[in-house]
Amino acid sequence: MTLNYQHKKPADTVVVLDFETTGLSPTQGDRAIEIGAVMLKDGKVIDRFQQLMNPGFRISGFIENYTGISNLMLSDAPSCETVMADFADFIGDYNLVAHNASFDQRFLDAELRQINRHYSGSFACSMLIARRLYQDAPNHKLGSLISYKNIQHDGVFHRALADSEMTADLWLAMLEDLQQDFQLVNPDFSLLQSIAKQSKANVFQFLRKQN
DNA sequence: TGCCAGGCCCTCTTTAGGGCCTT
């Protein structure tokens, strides 16, 4: 069997991450308030990262309610700069996964720019991939996909570590489905990135060509 | 609860509009 996609990293280790933030747009002044991440290697969680961070201003009541993160909780949290420096060390140059990755990438880029740190891994978006693989799902919100795939969870949503754990489980479920449904021996980050670039109409034909 | 932004993606499209996702 020959797979016509390229392995980018010697070990298929990825970091699945999720930000909680003060709003939707760093260009409008929004900042990160929590980062959560799990590191996957060979289909297993080998490390975790979770930290609240103080954005330097009060967050809105909407965000307090949405995330369960209060201004009191953030009052004694370390600064975004301190936390993001640690997180930059955590992710290193590994490839990255997030649900609706364009959102998390904007905040990661904005926060790391503040401390002049960089990363060289590339992003894959679990939402774009799920839209192609699970076209019958009622919608492609993270919580809906967790239910659709019957993935066990602890009922916590909109907290960074809980959401990154669920995104990691969704990622592993997609890898497993590719192995079972398309007899792919070693589906990896690069293949899933390629899936996100296919049209919904052509993605299954693309997958059948992979072996 | 919704607004704010931005990218993707579909369609009654491409000289555009609007829903889906993320907080």
Side-chain angles (χ1 to χ4, degrees), chain A residues 1 4 20 25 33 43 47 56 59 72 77 88 98 100 105 124 136 143 174 193 198:
Chain A
M1 178 182 295
N4 63 5
E20 304 305 316
S25 177
I33 58 173
D47 206 353
I59 64 174
L72 182 61
N100 197 11
Q105 183 171 10
D136 293 336
M174 293 193 294
Q193 268 193 324
Q198 308 302 310

Side-chain angles (χ1 to χ4, degrees), chain A residues 155-173:
Chain A
V156 177
F157 290 94
H158 306 308
R159 285 300 299 268
L161 184 58
D163 282 6
S164 62
E165 298 261 17
M166 288 188 287
T167 302
D169 286 338
L170 175 62
W171 179 262
L172 294 175

Side-chain angles (χ1 to χ4, degrees), chain A residues 32-75:
Chain A
I33 58 173
E34 187 181 40
I35 180 67
V38 298
M39 185 176 289
L40 296 177
K41 181 179 183 182
D42 300 328
K44 292 183 173 59
V45 176
I46 60 168
D47 206 353
R48 289 177 170 84
F49 189 102
Q50 187 275 326
Q51 184 63 58
L52 291 170
M53 58 190 114
N54 190 328
F57 55 88
R58 290 183 61 81
I59 64 174
S60 70
F62 171 77
I63 294 297
E64 283 189 312
N65 290 332
Y66 187 83
T67 63
I69 298 169
S70 67
N71 279 292
L72 182 61
M73 292 164 66
L74 295 177
S75 62

Side-chain angles (χ1 to χ4, degrees), chain A residues 89-209:
Chain A
D89 292 338
F90 181 81
I91 63 176
D93 291 325
Y94 289 120
N95 286 326
L96 305 169
V97 175
H99 199 68
N100 197 11
S102 66
F103 174 86
D104 293 280
Q105 183 171 10
R106 279 197 296 277
F107 277 95
L108 181 64
D109 291 350
E111 293 294 347
L112 292 185
R113 194 179 306 119
Q114 298 254 357
I115 57 173
N116 197 30
R117 292 288 298 268
H118 306 279
Y119 63 97
S120 66
S122 62
F123 264 95
C125 177
S126 56
M127 184 189 74
L128 293 180
I129 298 160
R131 277 180 177 170
R132 286 155 178 79
L133 294 183
Y134 305 135
Q135 299 185 21
D136 293 336
N139 61 61
H140 298 88
K141 296 177 184 178
L142 179 59
S144 300
L145 289 165
I146 293 303
S147 297
Y148 180 74
K149 293 304 297 176
N150 293 314
I151 293 170
Q152 297 296 309
H153 61 88
D154 60 9
V156 177
F157 290 94
H158 306 308
R159 285 300 299 268
L161 184 58
D163 282 6
S164 62
E165 298 261 17
M166 288 188 287
T167 302
D169 286 338
L170 175 62
W171 179 262
L172 294 175
M174 293 193 294
L175 289 173
E176 185 176 332
D177 285 347
L178 289 169
Q179 290 177 316
Q180 292 188 354
D181 297 345
F182 296 93
Q183 292 77 50
L184 296 174
V185 173
N186 187 29
D188 68 354
F189 182 89
S190 297
L191 176 67
L192 269 70
Q193 268 193 324
S194 299
I195 290 171
K197 295 175 183 172
Q198 308 302 310
S199 71
K200 286 170 66 175
N202 293 336
V203 64
F204 297 119
Q205 183 181 19
F206 166 81
L207 287 169
R208 285 190 293 270
K209 287 181 180 174

